Amino acid sequence: MRHTISLLVENRFGVLARIAGLFSGRGFNIDSLAVGETQDPSISRMTIVVRGDDQILEQVKKQMNKLIDVIKVQDFAPGESIQRELILVKVNATQKTRPDIMQIVDIFRAKIVEVTANSVTIEVTGSDEKVSSLLDLVKPFGIKDISRTGKIAMSRK
Amino acid sequence: MRHTISLLVENRFGVLARIAGLFSGRGFNIDSLAVGETQDPSISRMTIVVRGDDQILEQVKKQMNKLIDVIKVQDFAPGESIQRELILVKVNATQKTRPDIMQIVDIFRAKIVEVTANSVTIEVTGSDEKVSSLLDLVKPFGIKDISRTGKIAMSRK
């Protein structure tokens, strides 16, 4: 099963390597990972999306809780949290195809952040499904480059 | 100096731990890190923002280039790339303060993604400066929770 794990950690060097090591040591692959500062610059929040065995994940969570640099571990079940991702995607665009691309951008309430003679760079935020649908629609034009932040999550309460 | 490093890596377990280890082994702290899939699910893109000595960073980049799972290393100078971040911020809100918060949200073209009786959750994307300005303006209401993706970058060309 896919899990979205949110961690509050002390912002010290080595913490990230240790956490990533805990997962890779157990054979977990990390689908996405996002780390950023909180309102307190000494504390960072990590959001990790992993797929793997639920029982082994329980053990990994216990191990994370034991690390002194880990303040809090949350495992969000689907629907329990607001989840968002930001994507930049650069698509081939000519004068002829640009209007079609702009139409897709409008439908998804995405934004065009850069235009060159032969490309358009689109910024889109949303859930997995929204982002995947947009990518499917622009794929026929030719994707030149893509960069995703990975998902972040926040409790609805 | 602050550097934004963009890496294309094979999506295998252990890669993230190894890269994070390269930085922490040299005493670099990672300000933010974002990892997500590319159009090829076997390849991930990592965006790392680090601060530290330029000469040591050159060594770290050489070491990263030597790792077999690393396909490409780019070090973006300021202005050379489009940089974006996504933030979710949950702010205290009463019936009385909600209109003031909504006004700030409008000015920044941010979005309200969740409302409860005593809070509002805002989604905002943009550059460091934009995001910091919004956070400064909502801080007086009381920030309950914050989650940032970390920056992603894409070449302007």
Side-chain angles (χ1 to χ4, degrees):
Chain A
M1 204 186 121
R2 211 166 186 169
H3 285 261
T4 304
I5 315 280
S6 178
L7 295 169
L8 278 181
V9 299
E10 300 281 346
N11 187 11
R12 287 205 202 110
F13 64 82
V15 179
L16 183 62
R18 229 166 292 141
I19 305 269
L22 274 185
F23 283 100
S24 63
R26 301 285 187 143
F28 272 90
N29 204 354
I30 293 176
D31 276 359
S32 79
L33 182 135
V35 190
E37 283 181 354
T38 60
Q39 61 266 52
D40 175 352
S42 72
I43 294 173
S44 296
R45 181 187 293 278
M46 296 174 66
T47 311
I48 310 178
V49 179
V50 287
R51 238 176 309 189
D53 185 88
D54 282 9
Q55 272 186 307
I56 297 174
L57 185 66
E58 278 307 314
Q59 293 172 6
V60 175
K61 284 196 283 184
K62 273 181 198 152
Q63 284 182 302
M64 288 192 294
N65 269 314
K66 278 183 201 156
L67 295 176
I68 49 160
D69 290 329
V70 172
I71 299 159
K72 196 177 173 187
V73 180
Q74 283 172 287
D75 183 357
F76 287 121
E80 224 181 55
S81 64
I82 303 160
Q83 307 205 341
R84 285 289 184 287
E85 187 178 13
L86 168 70
I87 294 199
L88 290 173
V89 55
K90 193 183 288 170
V91 180
N92 288 323
T94 60
Q95 219 175 354
K96 213 181 132 198
T97 61
R98 213 177 287 131
D100 298 334
I101 296 169
M102 305 253 307
Q103 201 185 5
I104 296 169
V105 167
D106 276 348
I107 292 166
F108 282 87
R109 295 186 191 183
K111 278 184 220 166
I112 289 177
V113 290
E114 186 92 9
V115 179
T116 71
N118 55 21
S119 75
V120 157
T121 303
I122 303 166
E123 173 192 325
V124 62
T125 68
S127 61
D128 284 357
E129 298 77 32
K130 181 180 169 187
V131 163
S132 302
S133 312
L134 180 128
L135 290 178
D136 284 346
L137 283 171
V138 296
K139 204 178 269 173
F141 299 100
I143 292 176
K144 289 165 81 89
D145 205 355
I146 191 168
S147 190
R148 319 175 64 135
T149 58
K151 222 162 34 173
I152 54 171
M154 184 168 285
S155 143
R156 291 194 177 272
K157 286 165 223 153
Chain B
M1 205 186 119
R2 209 167 188 172
H3 285 261
T4 304
I5 315 277
S6 179
L7 295 169
L8 278 180
V9 299
E10 300 281 346
N11 185 11
R12 288 204 202 111
F13 64 82
V15 179
L16 182 62
R18 229 166 292 140
I19 305 268
L22 274 184
F23 283 98
S24 63
R26 301 286 187 140
F28 273 90
N29 204 355
I30 294 177
D31 276 359
S32 79
L33 183 135
V35 190
E37 284 181 355
T38 61
Q39 61 266 52
D40 175 351
S42 72
I43 295 171
S44 296
R45 181 187 293 276
M46 296 174 67
T47 312
I48 310 178
V49 179
V50 286
R51 241 176 307 189
D53 185 87
D54 280 11
Q55 274 187 307
I56 297 174
L57 186 65
E58 278 307 314
Q59 293 172 5
V60 175
K61 284 196 284 185
K62 274 181 198 152
Q63 284 182 303
M64 288 192 292
N65 269 313
K66 278 182 201 157
L67 294 176
I68 50 159
D69 290 328
V70 172
I71 300 158
K72 196 177 174 187
V73 180
Q74 283 171 287
D75 183 357
F76 286 122
E80 224 181 56
S81 64
I82 303 160
Q83 307 204 340
R84 284 289 185 287
E85 187 179 11
L86 167 69
I87 293 198
L88 290 173
V89 55
K90 194 184 288 173
V91 180
N92 289 324
T94 59
Q95 220 176 354
K96 213 181 133 199
T97 61
R98 213 177 287 132
D100 298 335
I101 296 170
M102 305 252 307
Q103 200 184 6
I104 296 168
V105 167
D106 276 349
I107 292 166
F108 283 86
R109 297 188 189 182
K111 277 183 220 167
I112 289 177
V113 290
E114 186 93 8
V115 179
T116 71
N118 54 20
S119 75
V120 157
T121 304
I122 303 165
E123 173 193 324
V124 62
T125 67
S127 60
D128 285 356
E129 299 78 32
K130 181 181 168 186
V131 163
S132 301
S133 312
L134 179 128
L135 290 179
D136 284 346
L137 283 172
V138 296
K139 204 179 270 173
F141 299 101
I143 292 175
K144 289 165 81 88
D145 204 356
I146 192 168
S147 190
R148 319 175 62 134
T149 59
K151 221 159 41 171
I152 54 171
M154 184 168 284
S155 142
R156 292 195 175 272
K157 284 166 221 151

